[in-house]
Amino acid sequence: MKFFIDTADINEIKEAASYGLLDGVTTNPTLVARTGKKFRQVLEEICAIVDGPISAEVTAVDYETMRREAEELASIHPNIVVKIPLILEGLKCVRWCSEHDIDTNVTLCFSPTQALLAAKAGATYISPFVGRLDDIAHEGMEMVRQIIEIYDAYDYETEVLVASVRHPLHVLDAARMGADVCTMPLSVIAQLVKHPLTDLGLARFLEDAKKVPR
Ligand code: E4P
C-alpha cells in the first residue's frame, strides 16, 4: 500500500519524506489556506521535495473553467494530479483529463456508486472520505470495502486512495482490504510506529547492553 501525506505544510512533508516511506502528497483548499502562502508556490515547493503524485484541487464547479484549471495545474509539474470534486461537471472534466493524459484524483467521494461513476469516467484515483462518514455514524471503511469489490469485479484501473484518515485503525483496515493508497496526516504516520512494548523492550535492551563489556 502506498503512503501519501495529507497536508500542504512543507515542514511536515519534509519530515515525512525523511522517513523514506512517503509515496505522494494530497492537498485540498483548506490545507493550502492554512499555510498562508500562494497556491502555486505551495505546489512548487512540494514538487521539489517529493518525487511522487501530488494532488492539487480545482476550485471551479463548471466544466469549462475546471478544464482550464486542470490544464494549468498539470502544466506546473509532471507529478501533479488534478483533484476534482465528485459532481457531474467534475466527472465530465475527469473524462476530458483521461483523454488528454492528465492524472486525476476524484475527491469528496462518500458512496460506492459515486466511486463507480468516477472509475467509468477514467479517474486515476478515487478518494473515499472515511473519517467524515464515521463522523455522521456511517461506516467509512465499509464504503471502501464495497468500492474495492466493485472495482475488482470489473477490473477498473482507478486506484482506491483512502482519505480523511483519522487514526491507525483506518490504516490497518485499508491495508487489510488491499486499498492502493492511504493518505494520512503526519500525526497518524507517527502513531503507526509506536508500540509500548517496543519502547519497554528497547529500554531493557539498552540497560542490559551497559553490562556487556565492549
Ligand atoms: C483527501 O484528499 C483530503 O484532503 C482529506 O483526507 C480530508 O480529510 P479531513 O476529513 O480530515 O479534512
Side-chain angles (χ1 to χ4, degrees):
M1 186 170 75
K2 284 173 269 189
F3 274 37
F4 288 5
I5 188 166
D6 194 31
T7 185
D9 183 304
I10 297 302
N11 290 327
E12 289 187 355
I13 293 168
K14 279 186 184 158
E15 171 77 19
S18 75
Y19 304 157
L21 300 168
L22 194 63
D23 299 298
V25 181
T26 50
T27 69
N28 64 40
T30 308
L31 295 171
V32 176
R34 269 186 213 148
T35 68
K37 297 179 189 168
K38 289 192 174 160
F39 190 27
R40 194 182 178 101
Q41 181 197 347
V42 171
L43 293 178
E44 285 172 349
E45 286 179 7
I46 298 174
C47 289
I49 299 166
V50 179
D51 185 17
I54 292 151
S55 290
E57 191 156 340
V58 298
T59 51
V61 288
D62 66 284
Y63 167 69
E64 284 301 338
T65 322
M66 246 185 233
R67 192 177 57 71
R68 280 197 294 277
E69 269 191 78
E71 272 183 300
E72 202 180 311
L73 289 171
S75 73
I76 294 175
H77 193 280
N79 284 344
I80 293 285
V81 174
V82 180
K83 210 169 175 189
I84 299 176
L86 214 161
I87 56 177
L88 272 178
E89 293 290 292
L91 292 175
K92 279 159 67 176
C93 187
V94 172
R95 164 64 60 208
W96 182 87
C97 287
S98 76
E99 286 165 358
H100 291 80
D101 280 336
I102 294 177
D103 285 347
T104 53
N105 174 359
V106 178
T107 188
L108 292 168
C109 172
F110 292 97
S111 79
T113 44
Q114 284 183 313
L116 173 59
L117 296 180
K120 283 183 73 67
T124 315
Y125 300 95
I126 182 69
S127 284
F129 275 36
V130 296
R132 292 192 196 186
L133 261 193
D134 289 353
D135 290 345
I136 58 161
H138 284 253
E139 282 185 33
M141 290 312 301
E142 173 56 21
M143 163 180 59
V144 173
R145 194 193 60 72
Q146 291 184 23
I147 293 171
I148 292 173
E149 182 183 36
I150 293 167
Y151 282 12
D152 283 351
Y154 294 98
D155 286 334
Y156 283 123
E157 286 176 11
T158 302
E159 293 193 32
V160 178
L161 191 170
V162 178
S164 186
V165 162
R166 303 275 161 81
H167 47 69
L169 258 187
H170 280 147
V171 183
L172 174 66
D173 287 342
R176 292 186 68 192
M177 287 175 192
D180 301 284
V181 192
C182 195
T183 190
M184 57 201 110
L186 183 62
S187 55
V188 174
I189 299 177
Q191 277 177 298
L192 291 174
V193 77
K194 293 298 282 180
H195 197 290
L197 289 180
T198 305
D199 294 342
L200 204 63
L202 181 61
R204 169 91 51 87
F205 284 156
L206 293 179
E207 267 314 303
D208 289 344
K210 288 181 196 161
K211 301 170 195 161
V212 181
R214 297 271 155 180

